[in-house]
């Protein structure tokens, strides 16, 4: 009984701390301009630019309550190589998974949250969608990544760039 009460108390306290943390957590911003950070673009503008310059679109999908998303913002997306690769070789876009803004995902116009679940078949954040310049999704991936892991993933994407852009 004593162990059960202690366990319940610990779970309750953790829940209260997590709720307080989420309430005070900063919301993700769509665009940043600092030199040491990714220059997130507007999704629709990135689709338009990609058709002209033939760069792939890297979509980072986050949620305000997502702790790994916040951690990646502080570490992975501040790594010099990650920042340089995303800013120079891709159109980087950040979308909030719960957003109700309507976007073009593959051949459909849907709210972001419907693209997330129904078109891209994602279930967790952080998630990433790689989109070809023609606007069709190439692949999706879900998992928090360190800077080293993100650099490897981006290099793998770029190794297939010519093949994927041709599609």
């Amino acid at each position: 009984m004593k162990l059960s009460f202690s366990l319940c108390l610990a779970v309750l306290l953790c829940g209260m701390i997590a709720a307080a943390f989420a309430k005070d957590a900063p919301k993700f911003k769509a665009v940043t301009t600092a030199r040491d950070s990714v220059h997130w673009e507007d999704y629709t503008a990135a689709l338009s630019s990609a058709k002209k310059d033939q760069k792939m679109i890297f979509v980072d999908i986050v949620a305000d309550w997502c702790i790994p998303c916040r951690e990646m913002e502080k570490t992975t997306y501040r790594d010099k190589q990650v920042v340089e690769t995303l800013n120079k070789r891709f159109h980087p876009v950040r979308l909030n998974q719960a957003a109700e803004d309507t976007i073009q995902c593959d051949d459909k116009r849907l709210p972001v949250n419907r693209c997330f679940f129904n078109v891209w078949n994602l279930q967790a954040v952080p998630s990433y969608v790689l989109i070809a310049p023609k606007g069709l999704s190439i692949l999706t991936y879900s998992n928090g990544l360190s800077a080293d892991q993100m650099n490897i993933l981006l290099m793998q994407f770029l190794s297939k760039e010519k093949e994927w852009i041709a599609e």
Side-chain angles (χ1 to χ4, degrees):
M1 178 77 171
K2 191 174 188 178
L3 179 62
S4 176
F5 177 76
S6 297
L7 183 60
C8 287
L9 183 60
V11 169
L12 179 64
L13 286 173
C14 286
M16 290 171 56
I17 291 169
F21 184 74
K23 179 182 171 190
D24 295 334
K27 302 291 185 221
F28 285 99
K29 295 180 182 174
V31 179
T32 58
T33 57
R35 279 193 127 179
D36 63 342
S37 64
V38 177
H39 299 164
W40 301 108
E41 299 177 28
D42 173 76
Y43 182 84
T44 303
L47 282 175
S48 178
S49 295
K51 288 177 182 170
K52 295 173 189 165
D53 63 19
Q54 294 297 294
K55 287 184 185 178
M56 293 184 291
I57 302 165
F58 175 88
V59 181
D60 176 39
I61 304 173
V62 299
D64 293 332
W65 49 263
C66 173
I67 294 171
C69 299
R70 280 190 236 124
E71 187 60 33
M72 286 181 65
E73 180 61 24
K74 292 178 191 173
T75 59
T76 303
Y77 292 124
R78 301 279 186 214
D79 177 80
K80 185 176 181 175
Q81 187 175 350
V82 170
V83 169
E84 185 175 317
T85 302
L86 283 172
N87 288 342
K88 289 184 179 179
R89 302 290 304 273
F90 294 88
H91 287 284
V93 172
R94 174 168 283 152
L95 295 175
N96 189 310
Q97 179 271 328
E100 295 181 14
D101 300 337
T102 300
I103 62 170
Q104 186 74 31
C105 46
D106 290 354
D107 59 351
K108 299 171 178 65
R109 282 202 61 77
L110 297 168
V112 172
N113 58 2
R114 290 296 96 210
C115 291
F116 181 83
F117 291 113
N118 298 358
V119 176
W120 297 325
N121 297 314
L122 295 167
Q123 301 297 318
V125 287
S127 286
Y128 321 97
V129 180
L130 189 64
I131 299 176
K134 294 178 184 173
L136 298 176
S137 57
I138 299 169
L139 59 87
T140 61
Y141 181 76
S142 296
N143 200 11
L145 298 173
S146 68
D148 289 340
Q149 293 168 323
M150 179 62 78
N151 279 314
I152 291 168
L153 183 67
L154 294 174
M155 290 304 112
Q156 289 174 342
F157 290 168
L158 290 171
S159 73
K160 296 279 198 176
E161 181 179 33
K162 288 181 183 174
E163 177 184 333
W164 285 339
I165 287 175
E167 292 180 2

